[in-house]
Amino acid sequence: MVVLVSDGVSQYANDLLRADGWIVEKISLLSNPNQVRPTRFWGVYTKLKVFNMTKYKKVVYLDADTIVVKSIEDLFKCGKFCANLKHSERLNSGVMVIEPSEEVFKDMMSKVTTLPSYTGGDQGFLNSYYVGFANARVYEPNQPSDVLNSRKVPEMERLSTLYNADVGLYMLANKWMVDEKELRVIHYTLGPLKPWDWWTSWLLKPVDVWQNVRVRLQESLPGTGGGKNPRDELLVKFLFLFPLLLIVFCYYRSFLKTRSLCDHVRQLYYKVRARGVLPYSSVPSSTIVSPQQPKVPAFLGGISVCVCFAAVLASLGLSLVIIPRQVMPWTGLLLMYEWTFTLFFLLFGSYLHLIYQWGKAVANRARQFQAHPASLDHESGKGHQVQQSCCDIAACYYGLGMASLAILAPALPSIFGITALFLRLGLMVVGGLVLASFMTYASEHLSIRSFMSGFEEGGTQRRSICFLC
């Protein structure tokens, strides 16, 4: 097994490849001569160097996003150039059988700037170079060996889909177009949905094959058993614990600011003795003299909805950036939920706190116009008696509702046992719309409650211990 490695690959990756039994060959990159091309295709012409590996009689080339699930030794009996047809009459360069030739390689290098590439990469170039490949005969490995040895080696042969089973085609029909038991190579061709990225496993069923092989990998270097990366393991533990510690710290800090620790202990002691809530622990809002009822700004609801969805997008984006791409699917999903919820509650909770302070400022301005300052002092004194250390129940319900829907929406396909990609995405979209509707109502309602709460508590020192209170 030979792997061609450029300077962009880390030394740790090189060591891991060697430990896994690969022969590592360092190569320089070939620049892509096409001006119009995808950004990710900037170095793909380097693949043509396979044609110059003349110290080998025959080379079976595999893209990094393929996985061999059954022996492919019979491919070495194929012709001088073999590939599989995809997208009508065009060959796919993800799996190729090549008879290396210095002459062929030099001829390719002389034509890379003149032959067109419909993809802007090596695959388009090879389709232009091997004219008439679509008319080549299909390789039949099950022919008797004497027939294979006696025939003239074909210049080109087409490979069966068994040797290059396209996951993209599987997702269209929700099944393989050939006998699944006979599959030799699976090719994960769907753009950014690569099997090593944890989120792909929750969308594409064939990724299970990749993950099942991954978890059986032996430990060739310390900490690499089961396809793990020891550097990521420490990061994952930190990412899991940090949000929990952050929430505990915020709650603890708010808890102490409500009253001193001794007051809380004393309060708890009296509650146990009295078997109930102390009469001075809370004062009904009806007993507090409040200024005139405020007029909630008409634009508050609309702005709150926009801020809520912006907080969701920011939380999702930051979570995807923070979480390592190649963790196990369940680990990635749990970290995604944990960090998304934490970031959202911090972002949107901070916004609600600003709205609360706004309402409080409006109340304080209104109090300045009262005719009897003594009355204000009396009211303020009564307001300071309001030592509510419990969370806003409505905010807790809304938070639990949003969290439940956020978990349920992507889980619907698994609950109903649906594996087809488009049905999965359809169910997720429906769940997402329900979640969006709920969030629209909740964000508007919570912002109005925060404004009114701040107005009613204007001039008091009440502290909340909940992000969304």
Side-chain angles (χ1 to χ4, degrees):
M1 301 187 302
V2 181
V3 55
L4 305 182
V5 174
S6 67
D7 293 336
V9 180
S10 69
Q11 185 59 46
Y12 177 81
N14 278 271
D15 295 340
L16 183 58
L17 286 167
R18 291 189 180 93
D20 284 337
W22 289 85
I23 299 172
V24 178
E25 292 191 6
K26 295 291 184 69
I27 59 171
S28 58
L29 293 174
L30 287 177
S31 61
N32 191 327
N34 299 293
Q35 298 297 321
V36 180
R37 56 176 171 79
T39 304
R40 62 190 178 94
F41 281 2
W42 66 273
V44 292
Y45 269 67
T46 309
K47 187 188 295 186
L48 300 179
K49 289 196 172 185
V50 177
F51 289 85
N52 198 33
M53 299 175 67
T54 53
K55 65 180 178 181
Y56 301 102
K57 292 181 180 179
K58 192 71 68 75
V59 173
V60 174
Y61 170 84
L62 299 165
D63 267 353
D65 58 354
T66 61
I67 186 167
V68 178
V69 294
K70 198 173 182 180
S71 174
I72 57 172
E73 291 184 6
D74 51 6
L75 285 180
F76 289 98
K77 303 174 185 177
C78 195
K80 294 183 178 180
F81 177 76
C82 306
N84 174 248
L85 281 183
K86 281 185 174 59
H87 310 297
S88 184
E89 299 180 345
R90 289 168 174 166
L91 68 89
N92 179 269
S93 61
V95 178
M96 298 185 294
V97 182
I98 297 164
E99 186 175 286
S101 167
E102 186 177 356
E103 181 182 351
V104 172
F105 178 70
K106 288 181 177 178
D107 186 50
M108 285 183 173
M109 292 300 98
S110 66
K111 296 178 179 179
V112 290
T113 57
T114 56
L115 288 181
S117 172
Y118 77 94
T119 61
D122 65 285
Q123 182 169 292
F125 169 79
L126 289 172
N127 273 274
S128 297
Y129 188 83
Y130 287 98
V131 180
F133 180 82
N135 300 320
R137 56 171 290 180
V138 177
Y139 171 56
E140 300 177 17
N142 295 325
Q143 289 184 342
S145 57
D146 56 337
V147 174
L148 290 174
N149 295 330
S150 62
R151 67 171 184 166
K152 181 182 178 181
V153 179
E155 293 294 326
M156 297 181 291
E157 281 188 296
R158 290 189 287 120
L159 296 178
S160 163
T161 301
L162 294 174
Y163 296 97
N164 195 345
D166 192 338
V167 169
L169 295 178
Y170 174 94
M171 300 315 299
L172 289 175
N174 198 32
K175 63 180 181 180
W176 296 110
M177 300 300 184
V178 292
D179 186 0
E180 186 173 354
K181 296 179 180 178
E182 296 298 321
L183 283 180
R184 307 299 181 91
V185 180
I186 297 176
H187 192 181
Y188 298 88
T189 56
L190 287 177
L193 297 179
K194 296 304 181 184
W196 49 79
D197 293 329
W198 65 265
W199 58 80
T200 306
S201 183
W202 301 106
L203 294 174
L204 307 180
K205 186 177 184 299
V207 177
D208 292 346
V209 177
W210 180 286
Q211 294 294 341
N212 290 337
V213 173
R214 177 186 180 183
V215 297
R216 295 198 304 269
L217 290 175
Q218 299 298 315
E219 187 177 66
S220 52
L221 288 181
T224 58
K228 296 179 181 178
N229 186 329
R231 294 174 297 181
D232 284 348
E233 289 295 297
L234 182 61
L235 179 59
V236 166
K237 292 177 182 177
F238 170 78
L239 292 176
F240 178 75
L241 292 174
F242 183 78
L244 299 179
L245 295 175
L246 179 63
I247 292 175
V248 170
F249 172 76
C250 291
Y251 273 72
Y252 178 73
R253 186 168 174 267
S254 300
F255 185 77
L256 290 182
K257 282 195 172 184
T258 308
R259 296 190 210 102
S260 68
L261 183 60
C262 293
D263 288 339
H264 280 290
V265 174
R266 190 180 300 111
Q267 177 78 352
L268 180 62
Y269 170 73
Y270 284 131
K271 281 186 178 182
V272 172
R273 286 191 59 183
R275 294 183 180 181
V277 180
L278 289 178
Y280 63 81
S281 63
S282 177
V283 178
S285 59
S286 60
T287 65
I288 302 176
V289 181
S290 62
Q292 59 183 354
Q293 192 74 5
K295 182 179 180 181
V296 178
F299 56 83
L300 180 59
I303 292 178
S304 300
V305 172
C306 294
V307 171
C308 179
F309 282 97
V312 169
L313 294 177
S315 302
L316 287 171
L318 288 172
S319 299
L320 285 174
V321 171
I322 292 171
I323 301 170
R325 293 171 56 184
Q326 298 187 29
V327 297
M328 298 299 291
W330 272 109
T331 303
L333 185 66
L334 291 175
L335 286 176
M336 186 68 182
Y337 277 128
E338 184 180 3
W339 274 88
T340 301
F341 291 156
T342 301
L343 291 172
F344 173 75
F345 288 136
L346 284 174
L347 293 174
F348 193 62
S350 299
Y351 168 76
L352 292 181
H353 182 69
L354 291 176
I355 298 300
Y356 170 82
Q357 294 294 337
W358 182 17
K360 201 171 182 179
V362 171
N364 289 333
R365 285 198 301 268
R367 290 173 185 272
Q368 293 176 1
F369 293 99
Q370 289 186 356
H372 302 287
S375 174
L376 177 60
D377 294 338
H378 176 66
E379 179 189 340
S380 178
K382 292 172 65 177
H384 278 284
Q385 297 177 36
V386 184
Q387 299 288 344
Q388 297 179 354
S389 61
C390 61
C391 295
D392 187 341
I393 299 301
C396 293
Y397 284 155
Y398 282 128
L400 289 174
M402 284 189 283
S404 301
L405 289 174
I407 293 174
L408 184 63
L412 284 175
S414 300
I415 293 174
F416 292 105
I418 295 175
T419 58
L421 176 62
F422 296 111
L423 284 178
R424 279 181 172 235
L425 293 177
L427 271 180
M428 290 182 185
V429 169
V430 171
L433 291 175
V434 174
L435 174 61
S437 301
F438 182 83
M439 288 175 58
T440 300
Y441 175 80
S443 59
E444 184 175 3
H445 192 196
L446 284 174
S447 62
I448 294 175
R449 284 179 61 90
S450 297
F451 183 85
M452 295 298 296
S453 177
F455 188 88
E456 293 175 358
E457 299 296 333
T460 69
Q461 298 296 323
R462 185 177 73 90
R463 293 278 182 162
S464 171
I465 62 171
C466 179
F467 289 130
L468 295 179
C469 294

